[in-house]
Structures are given as structure tokens and as C-alpha cells.
Amino acid sequence: MSGLLSLAVIAYVCATGLALAYLIQREELIYRIGAVVTLGGWVLHGLALASVGLQTGRPPVGTIADAISVAAWVAVGLMMWVERTYGLRVLSAFVLPVVLMLSLSSVTRALGLGPIDRALSSAWLTVHIALALVGIAAFVLNFAGAIMYLLQERQLKGKRPGAVYYRLPSLATLDRLSYRTLAYGFPFLTIAIILGSLSASAAWGSFFAFDPLAMLSFVAWAIYAATLAGRTAAGWHGRRAAYFSVIGFAALVLTLGAGLFLPGRHGS
């Protein structure tokens, strides 16, 4: 793990604690400090990724751990943009724990050249990875929106709403956040899977090549496709859509875990 990435992870740990503290305490100073620490961690994270790119001479997606690290970095950038644009100050309390989990999965593994890099012989494959990472980042926010929706709904049903109730946005706002992040991330994931399938077929001679990551990514895509279809065609919203978003993200985590820990074409 590089020094810059270590500092970035430490900053994310501090930012996560501050975000959770703001969720409970509702102190403006805590929010401002947390925002600065988050921005600092994001800058350090970006410099760490740039350093890997300079060392390898290629985009910092040479291993699954590198790719996950890039996805976490994009998710934090997207989170800060949503918070600033829509005033959803509590979003970081639900996104940063996921980002921290994703970042920690990369800190125990060496950054640099790896199984993916050896296959990076076409620009289309690089585009495939980049699109997939943007999609994953959007689904991190989709998951956070779904969790906030379920939590807020539970608070509303309770006779004595807790402190979190006063910090979370309305159910309509959270449902809209969940839908927009799903609609934003799904096309990226779809095109990424198509390009990845074409590249795999050309490079490995098989559509899936019995690769755990490839097969599980299709499962995750199918869940998100069903969720989006349900929302647009069947009028799904609220709790049902939130549950499907949680299930879809669980499938996505399993997909990334398979890439990290199971042998396959994408490497572990």
C-alpha cells in the first residue's frame, strides 16, 4: 500500500466518523470539518491512483484491487457532487462506510501490474473497465439511497422517531435519489458488460470463459435490469424498489469479492 493511499484511507476513516457524528449531533462545525477531511482524502486517493498510473504507464486498473480503488474514488467524487448540488448533507454517512470497505479491500494488495493489465491490449477493454467503474460508483449511491429510504420509513412508522429521523430527507427525495442513481449507473454497467463480453470472446474464445466475476456481474446486471424495468414499466417505487437496490448491490459486492478472492480470468 502506498503512503498516499494509506493517508487517504486514514482520512476516509476520520471522515466516516465525522459523518456519522453529524448524522446524530447535527452540529454544523462537525459537517464542515468532515467535508474538508473527505475532500482531503479524495485528493490523496486521486494522487495515489495517479502515482500507480505513472509507475505502470497505464490506467490504474491493472488488478481488481486497483479497479475497486478507482470505483471508490469515483463514488466519493460523485457523493460530494450530489451533496453540494442537492444539499443532501447526510449522504456521506451512508456512502463513506461503503467506500471505506471498498478501499480497505485494496490496501492489503499490491497496486500495479496484474492479470487485467496483461489483457489490456485493446482500448475497448480499457473503456469496458472505465464504464463498469462509473456504474459501480453510481450503484454505491443507489445503495445508500435505498438504505436511507428503509431507515426513514421505519422511523416514520415508529411512534417515537429517533434522532436520525430529523436528519434524513423525505421518502420522496430518497426514492428519487435511488431512481436517478439507478438510471444513471445502469447504462454504464450495460455497455461495460457488452464490451467486456466481446473482448472476452475475442481474447479467451468464450463469452464468459467460466469466470466467476463475469458470471456474477451478469447476475447483478439482471437484478438491476429487473429493478429499472419494474420502476419504469410496473410503477415500482418506495420499499420494493429499495429492497431490490439492496439485493442488487449485494450481488455487486459478491461480484467484486469473486474477482478478489476466487481464481478466474480476471485474476484474484
Side-chain angles (χ1 to χ4, degrees), residues 138-159:
F139 291 135
V140 170
L141 268 66
N142 176 257
F143 172 73
I147 292 296
M148 284 193 287
Y149 183 95
L150 295 173
L151 183 59
Q152 183 69 318
E153 186 187 53
R154 184 171 182 176
Q155 295 278 318
L156 289 170
K157 287 184 176 179
K159 294 182 179 179

Side-chain angles (χ1 to χ4, degrees), residues 44-258:
L44 290 169
H45 194 171
L47 291 174
L49 294 173
S51 175
V52 172
L54 291 174
Q55 290 175 15
T56 61
R58 290 178 174 176
V61 290
T63 66
I64 293 297
D66 290 356
I68 292 174
S69 186
V70 173
W73 182 77
V74 176
V76 174
L78 188 58
M79 176 201 75
M80 290 190 295
W81 179 79
V82 171
E83 277 194 347
R84 185 178 181 84
T85 303
Y86 298 100
L88 294 176
R89 289 186 164 192
V90 296
L91 183 61
S92 56
F94 295 86
V95 172
L96 286 177
V98 180
V99 167
L100 193 56
M101 178 192 71
L102 295 177
S103 299
L104 288 174
S105 70
S106 66
V107 298
T108 58
R109 292 169 180 266
L111 302 178
L113 294 173
I116 295 179
D117 239 336
R118 289 194 291 271
L120 276 175
S121 57
S122 85
W124 287 112
L125 191 57
T126 305
V127 174
H128 149 70
I129 296 172
L131 293 176
L133 298 182
V134 174
I136 290 171
F139 291 135
V140 170
L141 268 66
N142 176 257
F143 172 73
I147 292 296
M148 284 193 287
Y149 183 95
L150 295 173
L151 183 59
Q152 183 69 318
E153 186 187 53
R154 184 171 182 176
Q155 295 278 318
L156 289 170
K157 287 184 176 179
K159 294 182 179 179
R160 298 178 60 184
V164 176
Y165 167 78
Y166 300 100
R167 304 305 301 159
L168 293 177
S170 67
L171 290 179
T173 299
L174 294 172
D175 190 55
R176 190 161 52 249
L177 170 67
S178 183
Y179 175 69
R180 288 181 176 176
T181 49
L182 172 63
Y184 177 79
F186 185 74
F188 284 94
L189 184 63
T190 300
I191 299 174
I193 287 179
I194 292 173
L195 292 178
S197 300
L198 294 175
S199 298
S201 181
W204 303 329
S206 173
F207 193 68
F208 286 116
F210 299 104
D211 181 73
L213 187 148
M215 290 186 286
L216 283 171
S217 65
F218 183 77
V219 173
W221 176 87
I223 294 172
Y224 283 120
T227 307
L228 187 58
R231 277 185 169 274
T232 56
W236 289 7
H237 65 278
R239 186 192 308 172
R240 178 184 294 182
Y243 279 137
F244 267 83
S245 291
V246 172
I247 294 171
F249 191 73
L252 205 56
V253 171
L254 286 176
T255 302
L256 298 176

